[in-house]
Amino acid sequence: MKLWKRKIEIITADKSFTNDNFEIDFKIDFDQDPEPNISEVKIFNLSDSTIESIRKDKTIILNAGYEGDVGSILIGGIAKVETSWEGVDKLIKLLVGDGSKEWYRTKVSNTYKAGITAKQILNDLTGIFGLEIGEITVADNIVYKNGRSVSGTLESAIRSIVKDTKSKFYINHGKIYIRPWDEGTVTGFVLNADTGLIETPVPFEEEIDGKMIFGYKVKMLLNHRINIDSILKIESKTANGIYRVIKGSHHGDFITNVEVVGK
């Protein structure tokens, strides 16, 4: 696996910026919490006119990888734009959210007829977002025999129905995902010392929603294929088997850190 000649490309405001011409840094978080993640992107020494064109609510795409193997690690909307100086270098810092605009601003007040299923309601509510559907598969597609009403923010409405189905909900790369808790996306990727594993995975345990979670913290060279719910095989001195990513981050120094649990 060739992991050299680092490549970064940012596309926003009808412009493209690459690490061939600009210094670029980033920290992109991903997890299975329904609260939209906020990522940070920095670009150094842009012209004043270019900085002026990069504004709040514009879409941004960040591609990263290596020569011949580049993919998207961030697709979202700019939530905040900040400019500052680091020594003699002027930088623009962008805070980027996944669907955050619709998430916080949209209100709903819907009443659904008797006999409707949870998935039917979720299909209706997620359509309001205007985001692409990644997957809607519920663990328990319950039937509301007496109907169901939802009101308040779109966030609270979707969360309440997802909770009824004993499933998870998150937004990633501008797509909506609703899945059973132990499901994910099969990548076919095998991580070992030859494919980017940097350090021996470290065991961890954590209580989430009253349940103890056991897994490994894993550090690897940046890999655009790895994201929330990625299912991969790990070969190491500690972790050996099939695992699912439950949390992680991509960094501008071309490191990807993840937490994984057994599949």
Side-chain angles (χ1 to χ4, degrees):
M1 186 174 182
K2 297 180 180 179
L3 299 174
W4 61 78
K5 293 188 178 180
R6 297 175 178 181
K7 297 292 183 180
I8 306 172
E9 179 187 30
I10 295 173
I11 303 170
T12 190
D14 298 320
K15 295 179 174 63
S16 174
F17 311 97
T18 71
N19 62 323
D20 293 330
N21 301 307
F22 299 95
E23 181 183 351
I24 298 172
D25 194 14
F26 54 82
K27 182 178 183 293
I28 299 169
D29 295 318
F30 46 91
D31 58 39
Q32 57 190 10
D33 191 303
E35 195 73 15
N37 290 302
I38 300 295
S39 299
E40 183 177 286
V41 178
K42 295 179 180 179
I43 312 174
F44 291 79
N45 296 321
L46 296 179
S47 68
D48 291 341
S49 60
T50 298
I51 290 174
E52 179 63 25
S53 70
I54 302 174
R55 298 180 180 179
K56 182 179 177 181
D57 293 335
K58 285 188 177 292
T59 298
I60 182 171
I61 300 172
L62 196 160
N63 300 318
Y66 309 87
E67 188 170 59
D69 183 20
V70 176
S72 296
I73 59 173
L74 176 65
I75 301 174
I78 298 175
K80 189 175 182 180
V81 180
E82 299 176 352
T83 57
S84 61
W85 290 86
E86 286 190 3
V88 298
D89 295 315
K90 187 174 185 178
L91 71 90
I92 180 171
K93 181 170 74 173
L94 309 175
L95 300 182
V96 181
D98 262 321
S100 57
K101 180 180 176 181
E102 293 83 358
W103 181 255
Y104 291 116
R105 299 179 186 176
T106 305
K107 303 286 186 179
V108 294
S109 181
N110 296 356
T111 299
Y112 297 95
K113 63 183 181 181
I116 196 166
T117 66
K119 187 171 182 179
Q120 287 174 316
I121 295 177
L122 289 171
N123 283 333
D124 181 57
L125 292 175
T126 54
I128 299 172
F129 258 118
L131 296 177
E132 185 178 345
I133 304 298
E135 181 181 341
I136 298 181
T137 305
V138 296
D140 182 8
N141 190 22
I142 62 175
V143 177
Y144 296 101
K145 295 181 179 179
N146 298 317
R148 184 69 152 84
S149 295
V150 294
S151 62
T153 64
L154 188 57
E155 166 200 5
S156 62
I158 294 179
R159 282 195 193 200
S160 65
I161 302 299
V162 170
K163 184 177 180 180
D164 288 347
T165 68
K166 300 179 178 61
S167 305
K168 61 186 173 186
F169 163 54
Y170 59 87
I171 301 171
N172 186 262
H173 279 198
K175 296 180 181 180
I176 297 171
Y177 291 86
I178 298 173
R179 287 170 160 168
W181 277 98
D182 60 348
E183 293 300 312
T185 302
V186 176
T187 65
F189 181 65
V190 179
L191 177 64
N192 55 39
D194 294 325
T195 60
L197 182 64
I198 294 177
E199 299 173 353
T200 301
V202 178
F204 78 90
E205 60 180 70
E206 179 181 358
E207 184 175 344
I208 300 177
D209 295 330
K211 182 181 178 180
M212 291 304 299
I213 302 296
F214 301 90
Y216 292 90
K217 295 184 178 182
V218 183
K219 184 176 182 179
M220 69 186 85
L221 295 176
L222 186 138
N223 190 324
H224 65 82
R225 296 176 179 81
I226 303 302
N227 212 313
I228 184 61
D229 265 352
S230 291
I231 295 174
L232 69 156
K233 183 178 181 180
I234 300 177
E235 298 173 343
S236 73
K237 293 180 180 179
T238 53
N240 278 286
I242 305 299
Y243 297 88
R244 179 174 60 86
V245 175
I246 62 170
K247 181 189 297 185
S249 56
H250 299 300
H251 298 262
D253 58 358
F254 270 60
I255 296 296
T256 295
N257 292 309
V258 296
E259 294 181 10
V260 301
V261 294
K263 181 68 177 75

